[in-house]
Amino acid sequence: DKGEYRHYMLKEIYEQPKVIKATMEGRITATRVLEQALGTDAENLLENVRHVQIIACGTSYHAGMVARYWIEDLAGVPCSVEVASEFRYRKHVIQPDTLFLCISQSGETADTLAALRQAKKAGFRAALAICNVPGSSLVRESDLVIMTQAGPEIGVASTKAFTTQLTALLIFTLALARHNGLNAEREADIVKAIHLLPGQVSDVLALDGEIEEMSKAFMDKNHSLFLGRGSQYPVAMEGALKLKEISYIHAEAYPAGELKHGPLALVDSEMPVVTVAPNNDLVEKLKSNLEEVRARGGELFVFADKAADVKPEEGLHVMQIPSVHEITAPIVYTVPLQLLSYHVAVLKGTDVDQPRNLAKSVTVE
Ligand code: F6R
């Protein structure tokens, strides 16, 4: 039931504070991740993990890409991420003591399941699933499971599944990092930031009206570019995927540093550029990328930390996002991009919840 909402997608975007909270509940205290957060066998299985191989498709793959930044940063464990349809059809080397991590909302995605089954033959330490559907094939075939508590996701474009996957992945990363020298102080700092997420996501939802206004600039465009750096690069990818899926506008995501290696040639007044820019040490670099786009007549839409001092100017639209912890920022910055694509799609009159050619669960390859 959509209740007061016009579309399931909008309802699911607005459910995020609640489902993020449900996903953290019972897994963290005020300052630390609980030992039993990943089930009773987890401590033993995580003990000697030397490598993490993440496999997923689509939006879930983007969650995996964010997790790679966290896992290497906080746990210091090498992490590879690959889309399932590529992984399953190439010869791959599985390192000893690998944790094989599949991420899937449905738990029934054919390529993801095939990759897991194939990897089982090659051998790995343990299989962990991050999944939203209890009793799904993925859950049944994995050694460890972290259920996201997103509830049923009806809109074909994934929203709340993604942010709850990220929440689960961050909790997992902390559990793994504890076996790899993460100190209690840093853990407490990040766990406290996780507790702030429901409130921060609500603060971003309050910007909905402004984002709807912004969406008008995209309505008659055929192309767009999404830029991000570091762990916000996969957020840019996810923002671009949402826009193409439901508004049918061609959207491409690039790591901001790649701009001058090619895509800058495309930028003109017909090519809006969306950038996610949290206030971290990469923001200065991002500012110089922004100049390059503006110098070519490109119109820029920047989602930036209030503290980052990005001032609106001619051709530069700034959406101020409340200051958030650098580690949890990808979760918060995803939300305005979901709203942006939603409003563009509504303006264009597309079938938001059932975009053409797409199915909710891809059980055939
Ligand atoms: C995008 C979307 C798809 C899914 C992908 C994987 O909005 O929904 O890209 O993310 O088909 O599905 P799951 O997570 O069920 O394996």
Side-chain angles (χ1 to χ4, degrees):
D1 176 29
K2 288 185 288 223
E4 64 191 283
Y5 296 98
R6 185 162 164 200
H7 297 100
Y8 280 107
M9 183 183 178
L10 189 62
K11 173 175 178 263
E12 289 164 1
I13 289 172
Y14 271 82
E15 277 171 354
Q16 290 178 111
K18 190 182 78 189
V19 294
I20 289 171
K21 191 160 194 290
T23 300
M24 64 175 84
E25 245 155 32
R27 294 183 170 135
I28 52 176
T29 68
T31 54
R32 64 194 309 273
V33 171
L34 290 164
E35 306 292 342
Q36 66 270 28
L38 279 70
T40 42
D41 292 343
E43 289 302 306
N44 186 24
L45 288 171
L46 291 186
E47 185 62 46
N48 293 306
V49 169
R50 295 280 167 268
H51 178 241
V52 179
Q53 173 69 60
I54 300 180
I55 295 292
C57 302
T59 290
S60 298
Y61 168 67
H62 297 153
M65 284 191 67
V66 174
R68 179 164 63 110
Y69 287 90
W70 288 336
I71 291 167
E72 298 210 352
D73 178 2
L74 301 171
V77 173
C79 176
S80 318
V81 192
E82 192 165 346
V83 288
S85 55
E86 285 299 314
F87 182 86
R88 67 178 285 200
Y89 288 119
R90 71 176 179 90
K91 207 162 167 192
H92 41 254
V93 180
I94 300 205
Q95 318 234 21
D97 294 317
T98 289
L99 180 76
F100 200 79
L101 200 180
C102 293
I103 309 168
S104 173
Q105 187 282 129
S106 63
E108 301 296 349
T109 299
D111 284 325
T112 306
L113 289 171
L116 172 63
R117 288 167 190 157
Q118 205 186 79
K120 272 189 177 166
K121 291 190 199 133
F124 48 74
R125 183 167 177 80
L128 166 65
I130 307 255
C131 190
N132 195 43
V133 179
S136 60
S137 305
L138 180 63
V139 166
R140 290 198 310 270
E141 293 179 33
S142 300
D143 307 303
L144 295 170
V145 177
I146 309 181
M147 295 306 300
T148 46
Q149 301 294 337
E153 192 179 60
I154 311 290
V156 165
S158 187
T159 53
K160 61 177 181 170
F162 181 70
T163 47
T164 55
Q165 284 167 348
L166 289 177
T167 306
L169 284 161
L170 183 51
I171 291 170
F172 155 73
T173 300
L174 292 172
L176 179 69
R178 228 159 39 200
H179 290 278
N180 293 277
L182 182 78
N183 67 39
E185 208 179 322
R186 180 112 165 100
E187 180 177 355
D189 174 52
I190 296 166
V191 170
K192 285 179 195 160
I194 295 175
H195 282 289
L196 296 176
L197 281 168
Q200 290 167 341
V201 169
S202 299
D203 292 344
V204 171
L205 292 172
L207 301 172
D208 196 10
E210 280 174 64
I211 295 169
E212 185 174 2
E213 213 26 59
M214 192 185 252
S215 70
K216 291 177 186 160
F218 291 77
M219 205 188 144
D220 57 353
K221 298 290 188 292
N222 295 313
H223 304 276
S224 61
L225 204 55
F226 282 67
L227 304 177
R229 276 183 183 267
S231 61
Q232 299 281 28
Y233 166 48
V235 172
M237 293 175 77
E238 176 57 12
L241 178 62
K242 287 293 89 98
L243 192 68
K244 46 189 150 190
E245 269 184 300
I246 60 167
S247 78
Y248 315 146
I249 293 174
H250 170 218
E252 254 192 286
Y254 266 93
E258 278 290 292
L259 190 62
K260 40 165 124 19
H261 298 285
L264 191 55
L266 290 169
V267 173
D268 63 13
S269 59
E270 289 307 300
M271 178 89 152
V273 180
V274 178
T275 303
V276 276
N279 187 24
N280 59 25
D281 51 8
L282 297 175
V283 90
E284 282 309 315
K285 290 201 171 120
L286 206 46
K287 280 185 188 168
S288 73
N289 297 145
L290 303 186
E291 284 310 312
E292 288 163 339
V293 169
R294 282 204 320 138
R296 282 146 187 96
E299 214 166 342
L300 260 166
F301 298 83
V302 181
F303 295 86
D305 190 314
K306 271 202 285 216
D309 196 32
V310 185
K311 296 205 173 60
E313 294 167 38
E314 178 69 32
L316 171 59
H317 310 266
V318 182
M319 183 69 62
Q320 304 231 321
I321 303 295
S323 296
V324 297
H325 194 289
E326 191 189 327
I327 292 287
T328 51
I331 302 175
V332 177
Y333 277 75
T334 295
V335 178
L337 300 187
Q338 295 169 342
L339 286 169
L340 178 66
S341 58
Y342 173 77
H343 288 299
V344 176
V346 169
L347 282 175
K348 291 194 69 173
T350 63
D351 190 345
V352 173
D353 286 331
Q354 290 283 334
R356 65 187 185 198
N357 311 341
L358 299 177
K360 182 66 186 162
S361 193
V362 186
T363 54
V364 290
E365 61 168 302

